Amino acid sequence: MSLSEFNLIERYFSGRGPRRDDVVAGIGDDCALLRVPDGMELAVSIDTLVAGVHFPEDTPPAAIGHKALAVGLSDLAAMGAAPAWATLSLALPGVDEAWLEPFASGLFALAETHGVQLVGGDTVRGPLVITLQLHGHVPAGTALRRGGARAGDRIYVTGTLGDAGLGLAVAQGRSALPADDARYLRGRLDRPEPRCDAGIALRGLASACIDISDGVAADLGHILAASGTGARLELARLPLSPPLRRHGGDEAQAWRLALTAGDDYELCFTVPAAHAAAWERRSAGLACGSTCIGVIEAGEGLRLQRPDGSLLALSHAGYDHFGTAGTAP
Ligand code: ADP
Ligand code: MG
């Protein structure tokens, strides 16, 4: 069965998910009309997912819908912005209803969790490419930026690191694991949970923040570059999930996964020592939790300290789409 573009939008995308008071006009006109609340700044982020590059070709469509929205929400989280609206550009090889329905369901289930309304988009024929633009609100002047870290600030991450990277190895058949652990790791790759609550809780406390999409070593590197500082991480403090501890190889291999594997979608942020106790109290109320993994230092560069005080060297810091030394995407 073939649907016209208009019917496709009607059937799968319009009138679904949360309806927000600040949407004057959503899907159906030439533009969406949106009201930014007084005193708020608009945070905008766009991400494109290409089949075979950003997700394995065999990824279930519901997981693709989830992930397409999750990566944008993770950017909003990293700025301390509250999610509000999304627009969706879809390039589809054809109208495959067995793909579209679970894709839309995965997307709208996460939209519901975070109160995001889909307010418009574009639909074209082409190789499978999904572009999601996210819009969020943050009280003027309170957004979390990359450039505010100072020597002495503590470095934290939410959740656990490296699971999605090991999940990719499982997806590619490079690692055979017991079913429960394989399901957990694959879930961490396919269904990242954006840390929006943590980002909002960090307003007023964090000096810098970023979301981890290319591995914490590379992404913390962006904070260091923007802030003009260096850092020291204590490798023994890296938060590793039990499945990663069981299957991530020896200690050094597990650390490398946690430091350089992509797709974690956790937050990495810095908190001045004076705010650390307040943050630890707020963090206790978050499902994802957070772990202090090191400290910002004067100078340049990232030092990775083993428990015996010696330093670990990395051959590469993280995934780079145009680089030659990256790990698999
Ligand atoms: P136009 O030709 O004016 O750009 P379209 O025919 O592309 O409009 O889209 C009609 C309406 O449907 C618009 O409101 C547009 O934002 C919305 N829309 C199109 N594709 C999508 C999509 N994939 N998801 C959500 N809304 C969509
Ligand atoms: Mg138009």
Side-chain angles (χ1 to χ4, degrees):
M1 175 175 155
S2 154
L3 282 174
S4 72
E5 178 192 331
F6 179 74
N7 287 333
L8 182 157
I9 296 161
E10 272 291 295
R11 176 164 306 179
Y12 294 107
F13 298 109
S14 60
R16 293 182 68 170
R19 284 182 175 268
R20 296 176 56 98
D21 293 344
D22 50 16
V23 177
V24 180
I27 293 175
D29 216 318
D30 292 304
C31 293
L33 295 174
L34 310 167
R35 216 181 295 117
V36 180
D38 283 347
M40 294 287 186
E41 284 166 353
L42 184 62
V44 181
S45 148
I46 188 163
D47 282 283
T48 298
L49 301 188
V50 178
V53 178
H54 299 94
F55 53 87
E57 308 261 5
D58 71 342
T59 306
I64 299 172
H66 175 104
K67 190 162 181 175
L69 186 58
V71 299
L73 288 171
S74 180
D75 284 326
L76 293 182
M79 301 292 287
W85 313 307
T87 50
L88 166 66
S89 170
L90 263 185
L92 299 171
V95 179
D96 178 354
E97 299 195 62
W99 188 90
L100 274 162
E101 178 46 45
F103 169 80
S105 298
L107 190 150
F108 284 113
L110 188 64
E112 198 73 58
T113 306
H114 291 275
V116 175
Q117 184 169 342
L118 183 68
V119 297
D122 196 21
T123 308
V124 299
R125 194 178 287 271
L128 180 58
V129 177
I130 301 145
T131 303
L132 240 299
Q133 184 164 41
L134 265 294
H135 309 76
H137 306 147
V138 58
T142 69
L144 311 173
R145 308 289 300 272
R146 295 181 180 185
R150 298 292 174 262
D153 291 358
R154 301 193 184 169
I155 303 166
Y156 288 82
V157 291
T158 57
T160 58
L161 302 177
D163 295 331
L166 191 51
L168 182 67
V170 173
Q172 293 175 335
R174 287 189 278 128
S175 200
L177 269 48
D180 280 0
D181 287 346
R183 202 173 309 115
Y184 167 84
L185 294 166
R186 184 70 199 252
R188 293 277 287 158
L189 174 69
D190 288 344
R191 293 183 160 273
E193 288 300 332
R195 304 308 190 189
C196 295
D197 290 354
I200 291 168
L202 282 164
R203 289 178 191 161
L205 294 182
S207 50
C209 186
I210 193 168
D211 73 319
I212 307 174
S213 51
D214 299 324
V216 68
D219 289 315
L220 174 59
H222 298 312
I223 288 184
L224 303 183
S227 302
T229 60
R232 180 167 45 83
L233 297 188
E234 290 179 43
L235 294 167
R237 292 183 177 229
L238 290 172
L240 307 178
S241 69
L244 189 126
R245 286 183 191 279
R246 281 195 284 274
H247 309 294
D250 64 24
E251 198 171 51
Q253 286 170 318
W255 287 336
R256 280 198 172 81
L257 260 178
L259 290 163
T260 65
D263 273 5
D264 283 328
Y265 298 106
E266 298 292 348
L267 298 182
C268 174
F269 51 95
T270 58
V271 178
H275 289 157
W279 169 249
E280 302 271 346
R281 278 195 300 277
R282 270 190 214 178
S283 170
L286 296 171
C288 61
S290 77
T291 307
C292 180
I293 60 170
V295 64
I296 297 290
E297 294 179 334
E300 280 184 9
L302 181 58
R303 286 159 288 283
L304 305 169
Q305 199 168 58
R306 293 191 188 88
D308 67 5
S310 66
L311 297 182
L312 177 79
L314 289 178
S315 55
H316 68 275
Y319 180 66
D320 174 353
H321 280 273
F322 297 102
T324 51
T327 55

